[in-house]
Amino acid sequence: MFLRRALRYRWAQALVLTGISLLVGTCAVFGPWFARAVEQTVMTETLSTQRLPASWLIAAKPGQDVRPETLDQLVPADVRPLFTPPVHGYLSDITWSNGADANTARLRWRDGFCAQLVVTEGRCPQAANEVIAAAGDETAWDFRVGMTLRAGADSGRSGRLRIVGFYRPKEPRGDYWFGDYPTGHSHPPTDKDPGSSDQLLTVRTTFGAAWAPRVTSDIRPIPGVARLDDLARLQDATRTVNGNATERGLPVETTSSLVTLIDQIQADRNQATTIIPLVMVQVALFAVVVLALALAAVVDQRRPEIALSRLRGSSARRTQRGLAIELGLPVLAGAVLGAASGFGVLLIARATWLRYGAPIELPWTVPVAAVVAAAVALVVVLLQVRGGVRQPISTLLRRVASRRSGWSIGVADLCIIAFAAAGLIAAITGDGRGPLPVLTPALLALAVGLMFAHLLLPAAGLISRRTLRRGRLGLALGTLQISRRPAVTRIVAAAAVAAALLAFAGQAASVGSRNRDSRSGYETGAEGVLRMNSLYLADFLGTVNKLDPDRRWLTPVVVARPSSPDALRTAMIEPDSFRRIAFRGDQLTDAQGWQALTAPSDPAPIELKGSQLTATVSAGAIKALVARDGNGDTIGSGAPKSLILRANVVSHRDGARYLVSFPPLRFPATKPVVLRAAVECQAGCDLLRLGIGRETLDSVGLEGELMISNLASDDNPHLALGKPDAWRPLQELQSDQGSATAKPGGALTIAMKSYGNDQFLQYSTVPPVVPALITPEYRYTANDTTSPTVDSTPLLLSRIDRLQAPVNRYGDRTAVVDLETARRLGGAVDAGQTDFQVWLNKDGLANVDMITAQLAKQGLTAELIDRRGDRIASYGRSASALALQLTPVVGAAAWVLAIVVLLLTVVTSWRSRAQDYASLQITGVPSATTGRAARWEQTGPVALAVLLGTACGLLGAHVALPLIPLFASSSGPVPLDLSTNWPVAVLLWLAGTALLSAVTLLLGTEVNRRSSYSRIREELT
C-alpha cells in the first residue's frame, strides 16, 4: 500500500529513474548484440563483394577422363549446404582458322549457358561440334552463321566446328562465369601475339578425347546462409580439399582464396569486439554515474522525510529497506525494459546501418549483460540510499547539508580519481591492454570533473567574499550559492563527462573517416584508374597526348613488374601531371625531389631519320692488353685485330630500342674509315648510345682511342654529338671487364679498354644511373639496386632520399622514375610484365565513358579497374566504420544525460533556491541582482566543466584512438593519422558550451521568476 502510494505521489521522479536505468540496460544489451550483428554483416558483405575469391574453382588436369559430377565429391557433406549448386563445365584452349593464319580461342561448355546469353543471330548449339560465337567477332573475324572452322587442340588432334549463331552475354561480368568471362579476349594478331577470338560456346557432347578438355566444377559460399559459426569448418575444408583429392586419386586441383578471406573476416570481427565495447562501455558508465547522481538528488530531497521517520521510531535499517524498495523498483523496471529497448534499437540499426545483413539471433553475451546491468543499477540504489539514511538526524533536518570547514574529498570520489589516474598511466606507459585504457576518456573526465567540483566549492566562497567587497552583489550571491550547495559537484561532473564523451566521439568519427579517405586515395592512386592493352610505349603515349594534351583529366602511369616478388617494381610517371591528378600527388616529395626526379632538359636529344647511318672513324694508339681467366692462364695471344662501332637508337615509331652494329674496323686504322650500317628510322629515331664491341674470335684485350670524325644520317650529313661530358659511361652490374670514356677530339673520341665485352657511352638525355624515389622498406644499395624498365632490362637506380608520402597505389617495393626517362631509354615492351594505366581525376572519372570510347577509336581497349569512391564505400562497410557509426549517437546520448542531471537537480532544489532569493528580495536586493545570481550559480561552473571535459576527451582520444583498429590490418605503407581534428574539437566545444549554458540560463531565470513572497509563506506554513 505504502509503495503504491509513494510511486503514485512521485510518479515523475520514478519515471526519470526508470528512464535513466532504461538507458543503462539499453547500452549494456545493445553493445554485445550490435557487435555480433556487425560481425555477421561483415561476413555476409565480404562473401557478397568478394564472390570470386571466395569461390572454389575445382578443375581436373587436361585430358583426364573425369566426369564433372565426380568433382562434387570433394565438397564435404557438412559444408555442402553452405555452397551454391555446382556449375559444371568443359573447356579446351584451341587454335582455329578459316583459311588464313591460325588464331586462338577457348572452346567451352557450362551448365545452362544458353540461359545466360542473348542470341543476336542464329541459335544456340544443339548438336556436337556446333558453336556460338561472340557478336563482336562477327565483324572482327568476318564470322558468319554456317561457317566451318578448322580447329586443333594442344593434344595435336583436330576437328571442325560450325558456327550456328552469335551471342552477347546478359551479364558480361556476371557471377555465373566465375571469373572466366566469355568476352573481352578478341584482338587481331600483332608481331608479338597471335590473334584471338572470344570464347566459342558449345554443347557437352562436343567434347571428347580429341579436344583434351579440362573438367571444371565451380561453387561459392552463399552469403547469409554461411554464418560466423561456420567459418572454422569452411576454412578447414578449403585447406584440406586438395589433399583429399590426392587421397581419392583424383587428378584435380581446387583454386580458392577463401582461407585468406576468412582470415580477413576474423580480423574484422576483432575490430567490432574492440570498438563497440570501447564506445558503449563509456556511455553505459556515464549512465550509471548519472543514475547515481539522480539517486543522490532524490535521496537528498527525502532527507526531511527520512528524519521524520527516524524520529517516529523507525530504525535506520527499516527506513533504508523501504526507500530502497521504492527507488529500486523503477530502476529494476528500467533495466528490464532496457533489454527490450536494446532489441528495438538493434532492429533499427539492422535495417539502416547494417542493411539487413545480419540474422536475428540471441548470443549468450546479451542475457549476461542484461543481468549485470540490472545488478549494477540495484547496487547503486543500495549505496545511495544507505549513505543518505545513515546520516545523523540533525544533519537530515537541515535544508542545506552542513560541510566541514576547509577542503575535503569523499572516499568514493578519491577512488574514482585514483582509478582514472591508473588508467591514464597504464595507457601511456603500457601496451594499451586491459580495460583501464579503454575507459580513459570517461574516467579521466569524471575524475577531473570531481576534482574541479571539490576545488570549486572553497574557491567559490573566496570569490564570493572578494566580489562582495567590490560591490558586485550578483556575482557574489551566485558564487555564495555554489559554495553552500555541494550538489553542484553532480552538475559539474556530468557536464565534464558529457563534454568528454562528445569530444571523444567527434574525434573517433572524424579521424576514422579521414584515415579511410586517405587510405582509399593512396591505394587507388587517383579518383579512378584505367588499364589499357597497349603493346608499344610510343603508341600509348601518343594516344594519351591526343586525348588530353594539357593533362586536365589524366596522367599516364606505366608499371614494370619484376620476375621476383621480392624485387623492386618500377612506377613510371609524369611528374607535372602526376602532381595535379594523383591523390595528394604533390606531397610525394618536395620541390628538390621533383627536380631530381625529372628527366634532364639539357642536352637536346640527337634526332635522325633514314635507313642508314654513316660513321667516319679512325683508331689510334691501339695496344694489346693481357687478360687472364680464373686459373691465371692468358686469354688469347698476339695483337687485337679489330673492333666494332655500335649504337643504340630509340625508334619514334614504336618506342623500341635497336642495336646498330657497323662493319668491323680493321687495325691498323690510323686514317679515317667510312662505315655504314642499316637502321629502321624512317619515322625518326633518337641516338641513345655509342660504344664498341669485338668480333667473336678476336679475344685479345685492347686499349686505345676510337675517334669518330663524323656521324651522318640520311637527313643530316653532320649529326652534332655534343660535348664529351655529355657522354657518360654506361656501368655494367658486377663487371670490371673494360671501360669506355669520352674525350675531346673529332666529333667524339672514345678512350677504351676492352676484354671482349661491349662498352657503351650513354648520351645525357638519360643518365646512366637513373634517379628514383624508392619506398623506404626496401634496402637500397648504391650502385647495385635495380628495377625493370618496359623491356624488363635492369635499370640502375640512384636513390632520391626525399620521399615524403606513400607511393600512390604501389606503396611497397617500388621505385618511382620519370616516364620521360623511360621513353628516352626505349625498349620492346614486355607485355607480360608491363601495365599501361591512365589515372583520372574527378573530371576525368566523370567523363570515363568518353575517354574509353576515344581510346577504342585508337585501337586501345581500356577498362576501369579501380575507383577511389568504391574503396571508400568498401571501407565504409568495414567493421570499424560500422562500429564507429555509434559515436555520434553516444555523443548525443551524453548531452541528453547531462541535461537530465541539470533538470533533476533543479527539480529537486528549486523550492529552496527560490525561497533563498525571495528572502533576499525582502531585504532589499533587486530582482535583477538575484536573477544574475541564479544564472551565475550554474552557468559559470557548467561552462568551465565543458571546457575541462573537452580537454579530457581530446586527451582520452589521444590515448584510446591507437586502441581502435581502424582497418583489419594497421600495417602497410599508408600510416595512420591519429592527430587531433581541431576544427571538429572546437566546433563541438562551442556547441556543447552553448547548449548547456542555454539550459542553465533558462533554468536559472525560471527559478528566479518563482522567487515570490508566496515561497516564504509556503515555508512558514
Side-chain angles (χ1 to χ4, degrees):
M1 182 67 70
F2 169 77
L3 179 61
R4 187 190 310 167
R5 291 178 178 177
L7 292 176
R8 288 180 60 187
Y9 177 67
R10 296 188 176 90
W11 63 269
Q13 190 179 91
L15 190 61
V16 171
L17 294 177
T18 302
I20 298 174
S21 179
L22 182 144
L23 183 58
V24 173
T26 301
C27 293
V29 169
F30 178 73
W33 227 334
F34 184 65
R36 177 73 176 188
V38 166
E39 294 174 37
Q40 183 63 60
T41 299
V42 168
M43 178 182 176
T44 300
E45 294 190 354
T46 299
L47 295 180
S48 298
T49 58
Q50 304 288 328
R51 293 185 292 275
L52 183 58
S55 302
W56 282 19
L57 307 180
I58 310 173
K61 296 180 180 179
Q64 299 296 324
D65 186 15
V66 179
R67 291 177 57 84
E69 292 77 11
T70 306
L71 306 184
D72 300 342
Q73 301 173 9
L74 296 177
V75 185
D78 62 328
V79 299
R80 195 169 298 166
L82 306 178
F83 284 94
T84 58
V87 180
H88 300 137
Y90 285 104
L91 62 89
S92 180
D93 292 325
I94 64 170
T95 59
W96 60 266
S97 67
N98 57 354
D101 295 333
N103 303 288
T104 62
R106 172 162 286 184
L107 183 64
R108 193 177 184 196
W109 164 78
R110 286 177 73 79
D111 273 331
F113 72 91
C114 280
Q116 304 296 323
L117 306 177
V118 175
V119 179
T120 59
E121 184 180 349
R123 59 176 174 82
C124 248
Q126 298 173 356
N129 297 323
E130 292 183 348
V131 298
I132 184 169
D137 289 336
E138 184 174 5
T139 55
W141 294 103
D142 198 23
F143 285 170
R144 62 183 183 276
V145 174
M147 175 182 287
T148 300
L149 304 177
R150 294 190 300 274
D154 294 338
S155 62
R157 301 185 181 182
S158 61
R160 293 180 179 273
L161 302 173
R162 189 167 67 92
I163 299 175
V164 296
F166 295 98
Y167 71 86
R168 186 178 69 251
K170 291 181 179 178
E171 297 182 35
R173 294 297 184 265
D175 296 339
Y176 168 81
W177 305 104
F178 282 84
D180 191 2
Y181 306 117
T183 57
H185 313 285
S186 182
H187 62 270
T190 67
D191 54 357
K192 294 184 180 182
D193 184 29
S196 175
S197 69
D198 286 327
Q199 292 185 0
L200 302 172
L201 304 178
T202 185
V203 295
R204 181 172 182 169
T205 54
T206 297
F207 288 91
W211 299 112
R214 294 187 68 186
V215 182
T216 63
S217 179
D218 302 328
I219 58 175
R220 66 168 56 91
I222 305 174
V225 175
R227 297 190 178 182
L228 293 172
D229 297 334
D230 302 319
L231 286 177
R233 290 187 295 144
L234 286 171
Q235 196 167 38
D236 291 342
T238 306
R239 285 172 174 162
T240 59
V241 61
N242 285 323
N244 293 340
T246 302
E247 291 179 0
R248 293 171 180 262
L250 294 175
V252 172
E253 182 178 4
T254 300
T255 303
S256 178
S257 298
L258 184 57
V259 171
T260 303
L261 281 182
I262 291 176
D263 289 337
Q264 176 185 331
I265 292 170
Q266 297 290 16
D268 285 338
R269 293 183 66 186
N270 293 335
Q271 289 181 298
T273 55
T274 299
I275 297 174
I276 294 174
L278 173 65
V279 174
M280 297 306 299
V281 167
Q282 292 191 78
V283 71
L285 175 64
F286 184 37
V288 170
V289 171
V290 170
L291 178 63
L293 296 176
L295 288 168
V298 171
V299 172
D300 187 63
Q301 186 187 30
R302 302 288 185 87
R303 286 187 299 109
E305 300 175 16
I306 296 172
L308 183 59
S309 176
R310 295 275 300 279
L311 289 173
R312 289 179 175 176
S314 178
S315 65
R317 178 173 297 180
R318 182 179 178 183
T319 303
Q320 176 182 336
R321 183 170 60 251
L323 187 57
I325 293 174
E326 179 186 346
L327 300 181
L329 189 60
V331 168
L332 180 61
V336 173
L337 291 174
S341 173
F343 179 68
V345 175
L346 175 70
L347 293 180
I348 296 174
R350 177 174 173 268
T352 54
W353 295 341
L354 305 184
R355 303 174 187 172
Y356 298 100
I360 298 176
E361 52 186 342
L362 181 65
W364 65 269
T365 51
V366 171
V368 171
V371 171
V372 171
V376 169
L378 292 178
V379 168
V380 171
V381 171
L382 292 176
L383 291 177
Q384 291 294 340
V385 171
R386 184 175 182 274
V389 171
R390 292 182 178 273
Q391 293 180 16
I393 296 177
S394 58
T395 302
L396 294 172
L397 289 173
R398 295 177 61 90
R399 187 172 65 184
V400 177
S402 60
R403 291 192 301 112
R404 297 176 182 177
S405 60
W407 185 78
S408 64
I409 186 170
V411 175
D413 294 348
L414 186 61
C415 291
I416 292 174
I417 294 171
F419 197 55
L424 183 61
I425 294 172
I428 294 175
T429 61
D431 58 1
R433 297 179 180 177
L436 291 183
V438 173
L439 299 176
T440 296
L443 283 178
L444 184 62
L446 182 59
V448 171
L450 291 174
M451 291 178 63
F452 171 66
H454 284 286
L455 292 173
L456 180 63
L457 298 181
L462 179 63
I463 294 173
S464 176
R465 291 189 292 272
R466 290 186 176 181
T467 53
L468 184 61
R469 285 194 295 267
R470 294 176 183 176
R472 301 179 63 182
L473 185 57
L475 180 58
L477 289 176
T479 52
L480 177 63
Q481 286 284 67
I482 294 173
S483 65
R484 65 189 293 266
R485 293 185 181 275
V488 73
T489 58
R490 305 164 191 161
I491 299 174
V492 169
V497 176
L501 288 180
L502 184 64
F504 170 74
Q507 293 302 305
S510 61
V511 169
S513 176
R514 180 176 63 198
N515 279 273
R516 291 193 297 273
D517 181 84
S518 175
R519 177 166 289 200
S520 299
Y522 278 118
E523 289 182 348
T524 306
E527 291 298 323
V529 176
L530 285 171
R531 182 172 58 197
M532 294 191 291
N533 63 338
S534 179
L535 297 176
Y536 299 101
L537 180 60
D539 290 349
F540 169 70
L541 293 177
T543 302
V544 170
N545 290 335
K546 291 179 182 178
L547 183 63
D548 187 12
D550 299 327
R551 299 295 192 266
R552 295 175 298 131
W553 293 348
L554 56 84
T555 182
V557 177
V558 180
V559 180
R561 300 185 303 275
S563 56
S564 171
D566 297 326
L568 278 175
R569 71 169 65 88
T570 307
M572 293 160 264
I573 67 171
E574 283 185 352
D576 289 341
S577 60
F578 185 89
R579 278 182 281 187
R580 299 191 308 272
I581 304 298
F583 177 78
R584 300 179 185 172
D586 58 331
Q587 300 179 15
L588 183 64
T589 184
D590 58 13
Q592 295 181 18
W594 287 116
Q595 183 178 2
L597 183 68
T598 304
S601 57
D602 184 61
I606 302 173
E607 298 183 353
L608 56 99
K609 284 186 177 182
S611 59
Q612 181 175 268
L613 271 179
T614 303
T616 305
V617 300
S618 61
I622 300 296
K623 64 180 182 179
L625 290 178
V626 177
R628 299 182 184 275
D629 59 18
N631 297 323
D633 298 330
T634 302
I635 301 175
S637 62
K641 299 180 180 64
S642 65
L643 63 78
I644 300 174
L645 176 64
R646 301 192 194 278
N648 277 140
V649 295
V650 178
S651 171
H652 293 176
R653 176 177 58 86
D654 56 12
R657 184 176 64 252
Y658 296 98
L659 177 65
V660 180
S661 295
F662 290 86
L665 178 66
R666 305 295 177 182
F667 298 141
T670 56
K671 294 183 179 181
V673 177
V674 177
L675 305 175
R676 293 180 175 84
V679 293
E680 294 288 338
C681 292
Q682 288 82 357
C685 292
D686 290 339
L687 178 63
L688 177 65
R689 296 170 184 157
L690 287 171
I692 62 166
R694 304 295 301 279
E695 291 186 280
T696 304
L697 300 179
D698 189 8
S699 57
V700 179
L702 66 81
E703 181 179 10
E705 295 180 353
L706 177 68
M707 179 181 294
I708 303 175
S709 303
N710 185 51
L711 189 66
S713 63
D714 292 348
D715 70 320
N716 191 339
H718 301 286
L719 292 173
L721 299 183
K723 297 179 180 180
D725 58 4
W727 294 89
R728 300 176 185 175
L730 185 64
Q731 178 181 348
E732 291 190 25
L733 294 176
Q734 300 176 348
S735 175
D736 58 357
Q737 296 296 308
S739 64
T741 56
K743 295 179 58 178
L748 182 68
T749 297
I750 302 176
M752 55 192 174
K753 287 184 180 180
S754 172
Y755 294 99
N757 292 340
D758 289 353
Q759 306 292 330
F760 281 99
L761 299 175
Q762 186 162 288
Y763 198 50
S764 294
T765 50
V766 179
V769 181
V770 176
L773 296 167
I774 301 176
T775 51
E777 88 293 339
Y778 190 84
R779 184 176 181 181
Y780 168 77
T781 303
N783 298 322
D784 192 46
T785 299
T786 64
S787 66
T789 184
V790 292
D791 59 354
S792 294
T793 57
L795 196 66
L796 188 61
L797 302 177
S798 171
R799 184 173 192 165
I800 304 172
D801 196 15
R802 308 191 75 86
L803 188 66
Q804 297 185 342
V807 175
N808 298 56
R809 193 167 179 81
Y810 303 101
D812 59 350
R813 298 191 303 278
T814 301
V816 180
V817 302
D818 189 351
L819 181 56
E820 175 61 18
T821 300
R823 187 201 65 78
R824 295 176 184 178
L825 188 61
V829 173
D830 185 348
Q833 299 295 113
T834 306
D835 286 338
F836 292 93
Q837 299 175 2
V838 170
W839 292 9
L840 307 172
N841 60 9
K842 290 183 179 179
D843 293 335
L845 189 60
N847 292 276
V848 66
D849 293 336
M850 184 271 289
I851 292 174
T852 53
Q854 292 294 326
L855 291 172
K857 291 180 180 179
Q858 301 296 325
L860 296 177
T861 301
E863 179 184 5
L864 185 65
I865 60 172
D866 207 352
R867 290 193 300 183
R868 177 168 167 253
D870 292 342
R871 287 187 181 259
I872 292 176
S874 177
Y875 279 130
R877 299 300 298 169
S878 66
S880 170
L882 291 174
L884 287 177
Q885 286 182 339
L886 289 173
T887 52
V889 178
V890 167
W895 283 121
V896 170
L897 287 172
I899 293 173
V900 167
V901 172
L902 286 174
L903 293 174
L904 193 61
T905 303
V906 170
V907 167
T908 56
S909 64
W910 73 269
R911 291 180 182 273
S912 60
R913 291 173 61 196
Q915 290 167 358
D916 290 341
Y917 293 134
S919 301
L920 289 171
Q921 291 174 14
I922 291 177
T923 61
V925 177
S927 176
T929 302
T930 58
R932 285 196 299 272
R935 290 186 288 272
W936 266 109
E937 182 179 348
Q938 291 183 343
T939 304
V942 164
L944 290 175
V946 171
L947 178 60
L948 289 174
T950 300
C952 292
L954 296 178
L955 178 59
H958 180 73
V959 173
L961 280 179
L963 305 178
I964 297 179
L966 298 179
F967 303 97
S969 175
S970 58
S971 61
V974 183
L976 294 177
D977 180 9
L978 302 180
S979 59
T980 301
N981 190 331
W982 288 108
V984 171
V986 172
L987 178 63
L988 292 179
W989 167 62
L990 293 175
T993 302
L995 176 63
L996 289 190
S997 296
V999 173
T1000 55
L1001 288 173
L1002 291 174
L1003 294 176
T1005 301
E1006 182 63 20
V1007 169
N1008 185 65
R1009 188 184 65 82
R1010 298 193 178 194
S1011 58
S1012 59
Y1013 298 136
S1014 60
R1015 299 301 169 199
I1016 300 178
R1017 291 198 302 270
E1018 179 182 291
E1019 181 181 15
L1020 294 176
T1021 57

